[in-house]
Every structure is written in C-alpha cells, then in structure tokens.
C-alpha cells in the first residue's frame, strides 16, 4: 500500500492501554453502584467515546455525568498512563519520522488526554499533530478528528492512510475517502476490521512496518 502521510489511532494501535482503561471502568461501576461487567464486555467499550457507550446502555444524562466524573477521576489518578507501547511501536514511529513521513495521531480520547499520553511516551516531537475529541464531539464517527489530523499534515485524503484497531477508525476513514490499515493486535479483531472495510489488515507491528514501507 503506497502512501505518504500516516495517521495513527492511539489506544489499541500505538498503546496497549487496556489495564488502565479497564481499571477505570471498574472503578466507575463501583463508584456509581452498577453491577460489574465481565472483562470481555468492557473490552467492547474501548474505542468509542465513553459518553456515547453509556448513552447506548440506556443511562440517563444525570447518571452519565456522575459516571464520567468517577471514570475521569480514576484516569487522572494514574489510569491515563497505565499502559505500554506495543512492542516495536517506538522504533517504527522513530524510523518513519526519520524517513520524513508526515505523522499524526487521531484518537477518541479528549484532546488534553491525547496530548498527555503521547508526551508521556516522549513521542510528541515525532508527530505534526496530536488530535483528540473537542467539546461537542461524541458519537461513533471519528471523521472530524481525522480531518483535523489531515489538516495538520497539510494533505488530501488520497495522500494519507489511517491506521487503527476499531470499526470507528476504519468507517470514519472511509467516510472521508481515506485508505485504512486495520491492526488486529488491538481491541477490535480481524472480523470487525474486515466487516468495516479495512483496505488491509495486519496482525503485528512488524507486519504494519512492512505495509507502510510497501
């Protein structure tokens, strides 16, 4: 897949943030007195904005506000950076940057959290833009965030590729006319990425490196 600019998702693509996110979700359920879901159920929550997921479970706006406060408190108390880079990601991003490939991040995390995580891993200088959700953005579409990432690269849809692990990444890229690579090592899995219409699916960071170099 020949391309120039690269836009990366964050959770499940660059970082394995499962531990921090699941711990924060469990803290949220405990704080508001909700029954604890299984890890398998909670994994399906990773990707879309939490406010969107909670609304789809039938919670009231008042319940959602209390739950989000509890979740964000746990994230601020270490959950946000309770993660690791997937093996090989640091070197991949460094090599792409050294080769002059324009790089950006587009994530459903809120903007300040996106910046915090990328800076935590000392990678901020590798990216021309790090973009998260801003006020008023919810729902499953990541198209507005990807569009801001493209603008930070100064590139057209046919000049970039979106790399992500969930349907939101792939469907939103397609919405904008952007090619996509799905990474099945993240939280969505091969079947979800294929159903979403990923142009290519890779199973490891090494395969991602090969795809981006092709």
């Amino acid at each position: 897949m020949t391309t120039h600019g690269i836009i990366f998702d964050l959770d499940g693509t660059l970082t394995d943030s499962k531990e921090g996110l699941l711990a924060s979700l469990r803290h949220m359920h405990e704080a508001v007195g909700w029954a604890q879901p299984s890890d398998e159920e909670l994994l399906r929550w990773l990707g879309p904005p939490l406010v969107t997921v909670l609304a789809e479970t039938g919670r009231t706006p008042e319940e959602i506000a209390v739950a989000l406060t509890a979740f964000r408190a746990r994230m601020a108390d270490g959950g946000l950076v309770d993660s690791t880079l997937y093996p090989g990601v640091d070197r991949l991003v460094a090599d792409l940057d050294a080769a002059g490939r324009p790089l950006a991040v587009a994530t459903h995390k809120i903007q300040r959290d996106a910046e915090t995580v990328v800076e935590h891993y000392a990678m901020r200088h590798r990216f021309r833009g790090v973009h998260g959700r801003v006020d008023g953005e919810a729902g499953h579409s990541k198209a507005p965030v990807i569009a801001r990432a493209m603008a930070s690269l100064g590139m057209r849809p046919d000049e970039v590729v979106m790399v992500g692990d969930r349907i939101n990444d792939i469907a939103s890229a397609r919405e904008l006319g952007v090619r996509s690579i799905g990474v099945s090592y993240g939280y969505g899995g091969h079947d979800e990425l294929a159903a979403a219409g990923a142009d290519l699916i890779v199973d490891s960071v090494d395969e991602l490196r090969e795809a981006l170099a092709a």
Side-chain angles (χ1 to χ4, degrees):
M1 176 179 292
T2 303
T3 188
H4 189 53
I6 306 164
I7 301 173
F8 290 99
D9 172 48
L10 190 54
D11 298 309
T13 300
L14 296 179
T15 65
D16 185 357
S17 50
K18 180 170 55 182
E19 281 197 34
L21 288 170
L22 292 185
S24 297
L25 288 170
R26 292 207 172 282
H27 170 79
M28 177 191 77
H29 279 77
E30 182 178 355
V32 298
W34 295 342
Q36 290 283 356
S38 66
D39 280 356
E40 183 179 357
E41 290 177 284
L42 287 181
L43 280 174
R44 291 198 290 268
W45 291 28
L46 307 187
L50 181 56
V51 63
T52 301
V53 176
L54 290 173
E56 291 174 348
T57 64
R59 303 296 180 180
T60 67
E62 293 75 20
E63 289 177 314
I64 291 172
V66 173
L68 288 175
T69 297
F71 175 78
R72 289 168 179 162
R74 177 61 178 79
M75 289 290 280
D77 191 30
L80 186 60
V81 293
D82 186 6
S83 61
T84 59
L85 292 175
Y86 284 104
V89 159
D90 192 33
R91 177 48 51 195
L92 171 62
V93 171
D95 289 347
L96 291 169
D97 179 43
R101 302 291 291 276
L103 309 177
V105 169
T107 173
H108 264 316
K109 284 188 181 300
I110 59 176
Q111 181 65 42
R112 67 174 178 271
D113 288 352
E115 293 276 1
T116 295
V117 171
V118 174
E119 289 172 0
H120 172 75
Y121 287 107
M123 295 196 301
R124 181 62 185 86
H125 63 294
R126 304 289 186 192
F127 299 102
R128 298 191 185 182
V130 173
H131 304 276
R133 287 188 295 118
V134 297
D135 289 344
E137 289 180 353
H140 287 284
S141 177
K142 193 188 274 189
V145 187
I146 297 173
R148 288 198 297 276
M150 275 195 294
S152 70
L153 298 178
M155 307 185 86
R156 303 185 309 269
D158 62 337
E159 295 176 313
V160 300
V161 65
M162 176 72 203
V163 181
D165 70 310
R166 297 301 311 268
I167 185 174
N168 316 74
D169 302 304
I170 306 306
S172 299
R174 289 174 61 87
E175 184 180 338
L176 293 169
V178 171
R179 291 172 294 174
S180 61
I181 300 176
V183 295
S184 66
Y185 59 77
Y187 306 139
H190 194 283
D191 290 347
E192 176 178 315
L193 295 167
D199 293 291
L200 181 67
I201 300 174
V202 298
D203 300 323
S204 67
V205 174
D206 285 343
E207 287 185 20
L208 177 59
R209 175 186 287 274
E210 292 175 7
L212 293 172

